[in-house]
Amino acid sequence: MQKSTKVKITFVVILIGIVCMFTAVVTDHWAVLSHQVNSVNSTCEAAHFGLWRLCKKHIYIDDTEAVGKGCGPLSLPGEVNCSYFRHFTPGEDSEIFEVKTQREYSISAAAIAVFSMAFIILGSLCILGSLWKGKDYLHKPAGMFYAFAGVCAIISVEVMRQSVKRMIESEDTIWIEYYYSWSFICACIAFAFLFLSGIALLLFSMPHMPKNPWETCMDAEPEQID
């Protein structure tokens, strides 16, 4: 396979990773929480949240087998109320949803995700510059920026995972069950695609290796990317 073809395939993988990371950052389905159902013919509360917003759903329960289990599934009909996290000011959501440790983790996960998006923007600017000006050497910084974006994405995922774990284990919250949803999966896919494609782009932009032992890198003819 020619080098130009490999680079084009890498660009496609990078684009998929960018879409997945953007989707993870702007959506609110990183984790789904539920508290215990105590009685039938009443409502219970489930919630899903992302980096910026929490959505609570009041679900009506009429099945006796649901008593003692977690509220849900989230696909059941019910009234939904969404609100943005008040990370820096006290409020109702801070009192009910965010214990002190979870609040700190949530701020960190959001900040690291923003760094990931910043690296993606820088890498994309390098790619646009290389396509516009025909400067292939811009692939090197682009590859590094995309790899850094992938690292930030997985760090944000791990911080969010620790946040949910500590929140469930805390005695200050009502939530007893949780699972990670599709926004969380998008962030994991973004890490894999951005990190691997960034490393691949960096390797593809390296100088042509000599074919003979007596040939030095300086003597080798440079490869051109069409």
Side-chain angles (χ1 to χ4, degrees), residues 53-81:
R53 197 171 65 159
L54 166 71
C55 294
K56 298 178 181 178
K57 189 172 187 178
H58 297 276
I59 301 174
Y60 183 78
I61 300 297
D62 57 2
D63 187 2
T64 56
E65 296 182 357
V67 176
K69 299 179 180 179
C71 182
L74 200 62
S75 57
L76 292 175
E79 181 182 354
V80 180
N81 181 23

Side-chain angles (χ1 to χ4, degrees), residues 181-217:
S181 193
W182 54 268
S183 297
F184 186 89
I185 297 174
C186 283
C188 294
I189 294 174
F191 154 69
F193 281 13
L194 289 173
F195 182 77
L196 295 178
S197 58
I199 296 298
L201 187 61
L202 186 61
L203 293 176
F204 294 154
S205 61
M206 289 297 179
H208 172 69
M209 296 301 294
K211 298 180 180 179
N212 301 315
W214 55 86
E215 182 183 10
T216 64
C217 294

Side-chain angles (χ1 to χ4, degrees), residues 36 42 84 167:
Q36 184 173 332
S42 62
Y84 287 93
M167 183 173 54

Side-chain angles (χ1 to χ4, degrees), residues 171-191:
E171 297 179 356
D172 299 328
T173 57
I174 62 176
W175 315 108
I176 62 169
E177 292 183 0
Y178 73 96
Y179 63 89
Y180 300 107
S181 193
W182 54 268
S183 297
F184 186 89
I185 297 174
C186 283
C188 294
I189 294 174
F191 154 69

Side-chain angles (χ1 to χ4, degrees), residues 17-77:
I18 293 174
V19 172
C20 289
M21 191 60 197
F22 180 79
T23 302
V25 169
V26 301
T27 53
D28 308 315
H29 288 79
W30 282 64
V32 176
L33 309 170
S34 62
H35 71 78
Q36 184 173 332
V37 177
N38 296 320
S39 60
V40 295
N41 298 324
S42 62
T43 59
C44 65
E45 191 174 72
H48 63 86
F49 68 97
L51 298 173
W52 319 105
R53 197 171 65 159
L54 166 71
C55 294
K56 298 178 181 178
K57 189 172 187 178
H58 297 276
I59 301 174
Y60 183 78
I61 300 297
D62 57 2
D63 187 2
T64 56
E65 296 182 357
V67 176
K69 299 179 180 179
C71 182
L74 200 62
S75 57
L76 292 175

